[in-house]
Amino acid sequence: MAQQKSILKLKGTIGGITFYKSKDGYLAREKGGVDASRIANDPGFARTRENGAEFSNAASAGKLLRDAVRVLGKDASDGRVTARLTQVMAQIKNMDEANARGERHVGEGMAKDEAKALLNGFNFNENAVLGAVLYTPFSVDAATGEIKIVSLNPQNDISLPSGASHVVLKSGFASINFLTGESEMTVSAPVRIATNAAEQAVSLKPATAPAIEGTHFYLLSIDFVQSVNNADYSLNNNSYNVLAIVGIE
């Protein structure tokens, strides 16, 4: 690459030379790479096409899961969640033993217990991992999606960020069909607890179970807020909020 020295700084492509701005200043480089039509048709790029198709399937599966849980996940995710989830989906795709290379599908791999184990415990916000925030055990009812905490003492059982006045807990019960692209999720009513509240039992039960056939995902959401004059405000752009997969059937 070459650095632009002229007074006039360029951006774009002229005569096969691409001009662009980077952290190192205004640069120029010759346009390279293989023509797209050659990749799409040349037998020598068969492996490239196969890898591309399978990567696309893994990325689409990750997006399907993210979209399905978005009602919970919009306030609890990190900047790398898309890449992290795609990586897991690619491993699950590799478990498909029914299809040839280039046609392997996350939906086929997901039927295996090993695939479900890869996703179970996945944290959508790696800055707030469930195991580092909630210290008390809970149970999950696979039929109803209900999550129960027998005894929760916020001061002892939750890692409370500075400034939080309340913690809000919710559960999600999702059914996702990775073969058809269908998904449905139901969410429990939020349980809002003051951080100085006394020990209590917590039940998070969605009103109904999802109706579509698919892989069942059980999720636990923990949000932290500061209440001022009866209005809740998120802390530090939701960076403390938790969303984790706590069960898969």
Side-chain angles (χ1 to χ4, degrees):
M1 75 182 64
Q3 191 168 19
Q4 298 183 49
K5 294 293 187 180
S6 66
I7 297 175
L8 181 63
K9 304 302 182 184
L10 303 176
K11 289 184 181 180
T13 301
I14 303 175
I17 304 297
T18 299
F19 300 88
Y20 63 100
K21 182 181 180 181
S22 75
K23 64 181 181 180
D24 298 317
Y26 287 87
L27 305 175
R29 66 184 176 193
E30 186 176 3
K31 186 178 180 181
V34 181
D35 184 80
S37 63
R38 183 181 175 192
I39 293 176
N41 299 290
D42 191 328
F45 286 91
R47 297 287 85 80
T48 301
R49 292 193 294 273
E50 292 168 357
N51 291 337
E54 292 193 347
F55 176 82
S56 177
N57 178 255
S60 295
K63 184 177 186 301
L64 179 61
L65 175 55
R66 295 197 317 276
D67 288 347
V69 306
R70 191 172 301 279
V71 65
L72 288 177
K74 63 184 178 66
D75 293 329
S77 63
D78 61 70
R80 295 188 63 255
V81 66
T82 298
R84 293 191 296 112
L85 198 50
T86 298
Q87 185 178 41
V88 176
M89 291 300 186
Q91 296 177 58
I92 293 173
K93 171 266 301 174
N94 290 342
M95 296 180 184
D96 175 6
E97 298 177 345
N99 294 303
R101 180 187 172 102
E103 299 176 356
R104 291 179 296 180
H105 200 286
V106 170
E108 294 288 350
M110 192 66 73
K112 295 183 176 295
D113 290 340
E114 308 95 284
K116 296 180 178 68
L118 284 176
L119 272 175
N120 196 20
F122 184 87
N123 284 274
F124 288 81
N125 183 6
E126 62 180 0
N127 299 310
V129 175
L130 178 61
V133 174
L134 181 66
Y135 304 137
T136 192
F138 56 86
S139 62
V140 180
D141 187 317
T144 65
E146 181 181 16
I147 295 177
K148 285 184 178 180
I149 301 175
V150 174
S151 176
L152 178 67
N153 183 318
Q155 294 95 337
N156 296 334
D157 299 329
I158 298 177
S159 178
L160 299 170
S162 177
S165 64
H166 292 77
V167 57
V168 181
L169 297 98
K170 291 174 285 187
S171 71
F173 185 0
S175 182
I176 303 175
N177 190 318
F178 290 94
L179 291 172
T180 65
E182 295 178 289
S183 68
E184 180 184 357
M185 187 170 82
T186 57
V187 179
S188 72
V191 173
R192 183 175 179 272
I193 303 172
T195 54
N196 60 357
E199 183 177 305
Q200 59 191 277
V202 176
S203 173
L204 306 167
K205 183 179 180 181
T208 60
I212 71 166
E213 292 187 6
T215 303
H216 287 173
F217 291 81
Y218 308 92
L219 301 105
L220 178 58
S221 165
I222 303 175
D223 295 347
F224 295 99
V225 298
Q226 184 179 81
S227 181
V228 179
N229 296 328
N230 296 318
D232 287 345
Y233 298 89
S234 62
L235 297 180
N236 195 24
N237 297 319
N238 302 312
S239 62
Y240 298 111
N241 293 346
V242 174
L243 178 62
I245 298 172
V246 296
I248 304 179
E249 294 285 342

